[in-house]
Amino acid sequence: MRRPGTYWVGRMHGGKPGDRRAGVVWHTQGSGKSFSMLFFAARMVRHPAMQNPTLVVLTDRNDLDDQLFGQFQRCADILGQVPVQAGGREDLRVLLNRASGGVVFTTIHKFMPEKGEPMPELSARQNIVVIADEAHRSQYGFGGKVNEKTGEMSYGFASNLRDALPNASFIGFTGTPIEKTDANTRAVFGDYISIYDIQRAVADKATVPIYYESRISKLSLNAAALPTIDAEFEEITEGEELTKKEKLKSKWAALEALVGDPKRIALVAADMVAHFEKRLEAMDGKAMIVCMSRRICVDLYNALITLRPDWASARMTTRRPRRAGPAWSKW
């Protein structure tokens, strides 16, 4: 029987030899998922049956890779070794070309072959465990696609990952598992090992309750304001064929222009100020704003400090700096 703080050990229920799906850990955001990953890794590297395994800690964004790597690096004593972070595709191949041991951090995008080439096998060892963070994302690209212009075949990141590490085992950590026809977290990683959902987290006071309040702000199109697409788009759609990629880019640009229309941003900023100040009359608190793009983040920030100059701050978090671009790209 599973109880809070107790997990299945050994083979998953119904698991068969050679399955290589270790299971899914469903822990809601803010409840200590990264520590669960850390403690799992520490147990794995010390388990006699694993024979000094190599652990590959996988994310799908550079900022998450840096954040999780920093957490593991600060706790290297628990792991009994210092984790390493792959700087690029070639570096990843070097780091995985080892006889045993190691905790390697990488993004799934680094599992890409050379142009026109199949994904090479990087290690055939069986004692490799891939620990996927945010396992509900970027883990379902198993099929191949033909580029209509060049005729070249390309495969998704999930397929490349398994070609590179054909005998590895996979465990997924996520706060939001999904079950769709073409994207099923449990189908990829196996059944749930532990479930700590939002209801349990709130009951334990590990996280605060979430309340949703609809706020309507009409969209309007300003064709002249179509933005330059963020560099992250290129990374996210790297595995897509060109025609589909261009369609996605066009849709993103159109939607971003609608959401980031200056008149709409001014309206949203005024509503946020009024709403937040009214709440402060009743209780202390903080606010976090999430926007669709970097441009919208900066424009909304500027609109807010125009209304409330004393709210100004030099701190703004984005995924990574751009090398060149509009004035807002410095953020």
Side-chain angles (χ1 to χ4, degrees):
M1 178 181 296
R2 274 185 289 185
R3 298 183 300 277
T6 306
Y7 309 92
W8 294 117
V9 241
R11 186 178 300 164
M12 287 288 299
H13 294 294
K16 298 178 181 180
D19 189 322
R20 300 188 290 120
R21 295 180 302 167
V24 176
V25 178
W26 176 6
H27 283 192
T28 192
Q29 289 92 339
S31 63
K33 181 160 54 73
S34 61
F35 282 108
S36 296
M37 298 174 69
L38 173 66
F39 297 143
F40 169 78
R43 291 294 297 272
M44 282 292 99
V45 298
R46 288 174 170 81
H47 200 292
M50 294 303 296
Q51 300 179 355
N52 193 17
T54 297
L55 306 184
V56 179
V57 184
L58 193 72
T59 62
D60 64 350
R61 283 183 12 210
N62 291 329
D63 58 341
L64 292 180
D65 187 44
D66 292 340
Q67 179 183 338
L68 199 56
F69 174 68
Q71 179 70 64
F72 274 59
Q73 195 174 43
R74 288 189 293 272
C75 301
D77 289 346
I78 297 176
L79 297 169
Q81 56 191 299
V82 178
V84 293
Q85 188 177 32
R89 296 177 193 174
E90 291 302 321
D91 190 31
L92 175 64
R93 298 181 185 190
V94 171
L95 291 174
L96 293 179
N97 184 21
R98 58 175 71 210
S100 63
V103 179
V104 180
F105 280 75
T106 180
T107 58
I108 195 170
H109 308 94
K110 293 185 176 70
F111 286 92
M112 281 285 288
E114 298 298 329
K115 188 175 180 60
E117 299 292 329
M119 185 69 201
E121 180 181 284
L122 302 184
S123 179
R125 288 170 38 221
Q126 292 184 325
N127 64 336
I128 295 177
V129 179
V130 176
I131 305 173
D133 189 21
E134 303 296 351
H136 61 285
R137 300 193 309 235
S138 309
Q139 301 292 334
Y140 311 105
F142 289 96
K145 298 177 183 178
V146 178
N147 187 306
E148 296 178 1
K149 292 186 177 180
T150 65
E152 293 182 350
M153 177 71 79
S154 62
Y155 294 88
F157 295 122
S159 179
N160 291 337
L161 175 60
R162 285 156 179 80
D163 288 343
L165 306 172
N167 298 311
S169 296
F170 295 81
I171 182 170
F173 286 77
T174 178
T176 51
I178 57 177
E179 293 189 24
K180 298 180 180 179
T181 303
D182 58 347
N184 190 312
T185 309
R186 285 194 293 170
V188 172
F189 292 97
D191 208 352
Y192 294 125
I193 302 171
S194 173
I195 297 177
Y196 190 75
D197 57 20
I198 185 66
Q199 289 81 8
R200 287 186 59 187
V202 170
D204 292 343
K205 298 184 178 180
T207 60
V208 296
I210 299 175
Y211 301 99
Y212 296 92
E213 181 180 342
S214 177
R215 316 287 287 188
I216 297 176
S217 179
K218 294 182 179 180
L219 298 175
S220 60
L221 176 63
N222 180 359
L226 290 176
T228 300
I229 304 303
D230 282 350
E232 283 83 3
F233 179 88
E234 298 298 330
E235 180 180 62
I236 293 170
T237 62
E238 190 172 11
E240 301 286 353
E241 61 176 285
L242 184 61
T243 53
K244 184 176 181 181
K245 187 173 181 178
E246 291 300 322
K247 291 177 182 177
L248 288 171
K249 184 181 291 187
S250 177
K251 289 180 180 179
W252 170 270
L255 181 58
E256 202 268 0
L258 286 169
V259 173
D261 180 77
K263 293 181 180 178
R264 182 176 183 272
I265 287 179
L267 182 65
V268 170
D271 182 62
M272 284 182 172
V273 169
H275 179 71
F276 185 62
E277 290 184 335
K278 186 175 181 180
R279 283 184 60 86
L280 288 179
E281 294 174 3
M283 65 181 73
D284 291 332
K286 296 180 289 186
M288 180 173 69
I289 301 171
V290 180
C291 297
M292 183 177 179
S293 69
R294 183 183 291 109
R295 179 189 73 86
I296 295 176
C297 280
V298 175
D299 287 350
L300 182 56
Y301 171 82
N302 290 333
L304 288 170
I305 64 172
T306 297
L307 297 172
R308 294 293 182 271
D310 56 322
W311 289 9
S313 170
R315 182 176 179 82
M316 185 181 296
T317 302
T318 59
R319 289 166 73 175
R320 67 184 182 190
R322 291 170 62 98
R323 291 174 183 160
W328 47 263
S329 66
K330 67 180 181 179
W331 298 101

